[in-house]
Amino acid sequence: MEDPSRDTIIGIDLGTTNSCAAVAGEEGTVRLIPYKGGDFIIPSIFAIDDKGHELIGHEAKRQWQLNPRNTLYATKRLIGRSPMDDVVESVQRSVQYRVHAGARNDVELDCQGRSFQVSEVASRILGKIRDVASDHLGFRVERAVVTVPAYFTDRQRQAVKEAGRLVGLEVVRVLNEPTAAALAYGLGKHLKEQVLVYDLGGGTFDVSIIDIRDRVFEVKATGGDIFLGGIDFDNAMIAYVLADFRRRHGVDLATDPVAMQRVKDLAERTKVDLSSRDAVPFSIPFITMTPQGQPLSIDMRFDRATLEQLTEPLIDRTLEILVRVLSDAGLKPEEIDRVMLVGGQTRMPAIQERLTAFFGRPPSKGVHPDEAVAIGAALYGWSLSAGGDRQLQLLDVIPMAIGIEQAGGETHVVFGRNASIPNARAIEATSSHDGQTELVLRMVQGDHPEAARNEVLGEFTFGGVRPCPAGEVRLEVIFDVNVEGILSLHVRDRDTGREMKSTVRITRS
Ligand SMILES: Nc1ncnc2c1ncn2[C@@H]1O[C@H](COP(=O)(O)OP(=O)(O)OP(=O)(O)O)[C@@H](O)[C@H]1O
Ligand SMILES: [Mg+2]
């Protein structure tokens, strides 16, 4: 018998707050991989306790309140980011651990006196999931399909692959989360449907329109915001509670990490409760002390209407993105056959009501909002692990344009937003000064005409250009975006046919 470990490709949903894994059996029937006690979810949290022990998942979550400075969570928001990015500062304001610039123009996180790259943290979580899956399956899992938000850039996708490499897990493919959900819903059902996936998780929002024709899954358009998720709903509540406390007692809880952690925990639980109840108490006894040593408590009630009012701007943003994606796809709301909800935050009734009002009918309950992404990833892994009739055809798109920074600072678009992938384009280039031997291309991703306002993907340097007078050498630059949305390029001398492939990719901004 063949060694199953070599064939098996599991599916991993690496979430901002929760991760989940699944595996498909021989016939393509998928099961979720259980962790201790039958729980299918592993919190995406990494911590080090005061004895120096590394804790991952539930173990890390359990000690979170008492060790907030050394508990790293929601790190997916920082993966593949440059430290100059504005988002880094806004993350720092909402977490209790320290975020700082790393040596490799990346972001590093402090934990118990040590510094970790964000992909190292992701690799610890992936490693834990791999170990849990290996224990469950009885062989060592070595390959996985890992899902990412559709709105992730090339650089963020690379960082996820790197995280797998660090822990010896081959990330065979990165797959877009909404696309995975569509696979979980539609594979094997012989459908002909236009589906819109509205995915609002803990950290990110994605919306994709996917045309399903039996085994062909074609993404028509996608959009999103990688800084819009359940955490922002929690933060809106936290800000409200802190302001109320300040008004009553003149004390700012934001400066006390342990108090903040308690508020954060209760805010999230309250938000979840308010999806099924109209009002709930919000009380935390002895949260802090007055300068005179008198204990103070939080003692309030939260109702659903207040939560809805506080978070309305967030829901508005998701609708704005949705409208743009519909227009990018050239579709009207009534042309969508099914609206599918993915991600824990979509359990909020106000979200379902807004979508019902927009589409004139309620969203479908076609998939499990927490499990669909992992299931779709496992199905994709299964289709890749063997050929033949298992084949499914996936046609995805890139979420933002990819282009070159031109001498004047503007973006020359090579692949437009929602360009289908896999995809390749070629452009002509030449030397700009006599005897030039190197061609340098600075690639960016984003929809802004000004290159500096977009995300830098890297600077590619091609050595070995044939020295000629300026403008004489005829070069062809070939850009390739693979099925995962990852860019590679190579350059060819049109006269000699010689390929200059040795790319040096320096990512800096
Ligand atoms: N019943 C509920 N009502 C409202 N929000 C909920 C409910 N259940 C879970 N959530 C929220 O859903 C979010 C987690 O969703 P999910 O597990 O889908 O995210 P994730 O996969 O970790 O994140 P992402 O996909 O953004 O990377 C949390 O913010 C959580 O508070
Ligand atoms: Mg998710």
Side-chain angles (χ1 to χ4, degrees):
M1 204 183 99
E2 268 187 48
D3 174 8
S5 63
R6 293 194 38 229
D7 255 14
T8 306
I9 301 175
I10 66 165
I12 299 178
D13 171 4
L14 183 64
T16 308
T17 43
N18 296 312
S19 294
C20 179
V23 66
E26 248 323 289
E27 275 72 53
T29 44
V30 181
R31 61 207 155 99
L32 293 164
I33 292 169
Y35 186 49
K36 277 179 207 157
D39 200 343
F40 293 121
I41 271 160
I42 295 182
S44 309
I45 305 178
F46 171 77
I48 303 183
D49 67 15
D50 52 12
K51 294 191 193 69
H53 296 131
E54 294 192 359
L55 307 169
I56 304 163
H58 294 285
E59 289 81 4
K61 190 168 184 178
R62 222 167 285 137
Q63 52 87 67
W64 188 4
Q65 278 204 14
L66 299 172
N67 187 23
R69 287 199 182 280
N70 302 299
T71 302
L72 309 181
Y73 61 94
T75 59
K76 181 174 169 183
R77 290 194 142 180
L78 294 169
I79 200 161
R81 291 266 176 196
S82 133
M84 316 295 287
D85 212 317
D86 296 345
V87 300
V88 175
E89 206 191 306
S90 72
V91 169
Q92 180 65 92
R93 265 184 271 120
S94 70
V95 298
Q96 268 62 59
Y97 52 86
R98 199 174 91 83
V99 179
H100 60 94
R104 304 167 193 82
N105 183 43
D106 55 356
V107 176
E108 288 188 359
L109 313 171
D110 283 347
C111 191
Q112 208 69 261
R114 289 162 65 187
S115 236
F116 291 85
Q117 287 175 270
V118 183
S119 36
E120 276 180 274
V121 177
S123 81
R124 294 295 207 286
I125 296 163
L126 284 177
K128 173 82 178 188
I129 297 167
R130 192 257 324 271
D131 294 345
V132 168
S134 301
D135 280 351
H136 176 71
L137 296 171
F139 57 81
R140 190 164 172 79
V141 172
E142 287 170 344
R143 301 197 295 162
V145 168
V146 178
T147 58
V148 296
Y151 216 60
F152 256 22
T153 62
D154 162 278
R155 193 173 158 179
Q156 292 169 305
R157 290 162 197 267
Q158 304 258 13
V160 168
K161 297 202 96 165
E162 169 67 14
R165 261 193 299 278
L166 286 173
V167 78
L169 179 73
E170 186 196 346
V171 178
V172 184
R173 290 283 164 82
V174 295
L175 173 66
N176 289 334
E177 287 161 8
T179 312
L183 287 178
Y185 161 67
L187 193 64
K189 288 200 190 140
H190 312 290
L191 301 175
K192 201 170 177 312
E193 276 185 19
Q194 206 108 241
V195 169
L196 181 141
V197 178
Y198 178 103
D199 179 355
L200 189 62
T204 54
F205 174 63
D206 271 325
V207 44
S208 291
I209 296 173
I210 301 156
D211 185 31
I212 307 177
R213 294 184 306 275
D214 194 15
R215 282 164 186 271
V216 181
F217 288 71
E218 182 178 1
V219 181
K220 293 294 190 189
T222 195
D225 186 335
I226 44 183
F227 268 80
L228 180 51
I231 293 172
D232 303 294
F233 287 67
D234 303 348
N235 287 343
M237 293 176 74
I238 294 165
Y240 177 83
V241 171
L242 295 191
D244 182 79
F245 197 81
R246 221 180 295 121
R247 232 181 355 259
R248 282 174 206 265
H249 306 292
V251 177
D252 185 8
L253 293 174
T255 55
D256 176 348
V258 173
M260 277 301 286
Q261 201 50 53
R262 291 175 72 191
V263 173
K264 213 183 243 313
D265 259 15
L266 187 62
E268 195 203 344
R269 271 188 283 134
T270 304
K271 175 191 75 176
V272 170
D273 285 348
L274 288 174
S275 287
S276 50
R277 297 167 64 182
D278 285 330
V280 283
F282 191 103
S283 46
I284 307 178
F286 310 124
I287 183 113
T288 191
M289 300 248 224
T290 62
Q292 291 74 37
Q294 259 195 337
L296 293 174
S297 305
I298 297 179
D299 200 1
M300 48 196 290
R301 262 181 98 69
F302 232 103
D303 57 30
R304 193 187 278 182
T306 309
L307 172 65
E308 289 177 356
Q309 205 184 345
L310 290 172
T311 56
E312 193 176 74
L314 300 171
I315 303 178
D316 288 346
R317 258 164 75 199
T318 69
L319 266 294
E320 280 160 29
I321 293 167
L322 187 150
V323 165
R324 190 181 86 158
V325 172
L326 274 168
S327 119
D328 280 355
L331 291 171
K332 297 193 199 60
E334 57 273 23
E335 290 173 288
I336 299 294
D337 297 308
R338 188 177 291 268
V339 177
M340 262 170 23
L341 299 181
V342 178
Q345 188 61 48
T346 62
R347 291 201 179 87
M348 183 180 187
I351 292 178
Q352 304 187 8
E353 286 155 18
R354 285 289 291 277
L355 290 170
T356 305
F358 183 85
F359 286 98
R361 77 210 115 112
S364 136
K365 302 258 184 279
V367 294
H368 190 297
D370 298 328
E371 298 169 359
V373 172
I375 290 173
L379 284 168
Y380 193 43
W382 170 78
S383 83
L384 292 171
S385 65
D389 58 346
R390 288 188 190 179
Q391 285 289 323
L392 72 104
Q393 202 183 351
L394 213 60
L395 302 162
D396 220 309
V397 298
I398 49 168
M400 284 163 264
I402 292 179
I404 309 170
E405 179 175 330
Q406 289 184 316
E410 59 281 19
T411 312
H412 173 83
V413 174
V414 181
F415 300 98
R417 176 170 98 214
N418 287 316
S420 63
I421 50 172
N423 205 332
R425 295 263 156 87
I427 63 167
E428 302 260 328
T430 185
S431 50
S432 55
H433 55 265
D434 294 345
Q436 182 179 332
T437 56
E438 264 186 359
L439 181 71
V440 180
L441 295 170
R442 195 172 155 91
M443 302 301 300
V444 296
Q445 184 159 24
D447 294 321
H448 208 280
E450 216 179 297
R453 305 280 297 273
N454 293 323
E455 174 96 9
V456 177
L457 294 182
E459 210 165 78
F460 292 77
T461 305
F462 296 88
V465 172
R466 195 156 45 89
C468 291
E472 269 190 24
V473 65
R474 298 193 309 145
L475 302 172
E476 185 180 43
V477 187
I478 296 147
F479 301 86
D480 197 81
V481 182
N482 70 7
V483 64
E484 301 173 287
I486 291 178
L487 172 76
S488 63
L489 24 157
H490 56 273
V491 172
R492 201 170 66 92
D493 186 320
R494 307 241 324 176
D495 296 310
T496 64
R498 192 170 154 246
E499 293 250 349
M500 285 154 265
K501 231 182 174 166
S502 55
T503 56
V504 186
R505 183 179 171 124
I506 315 161
T507 312
R508 59 171 143 96
S509 5

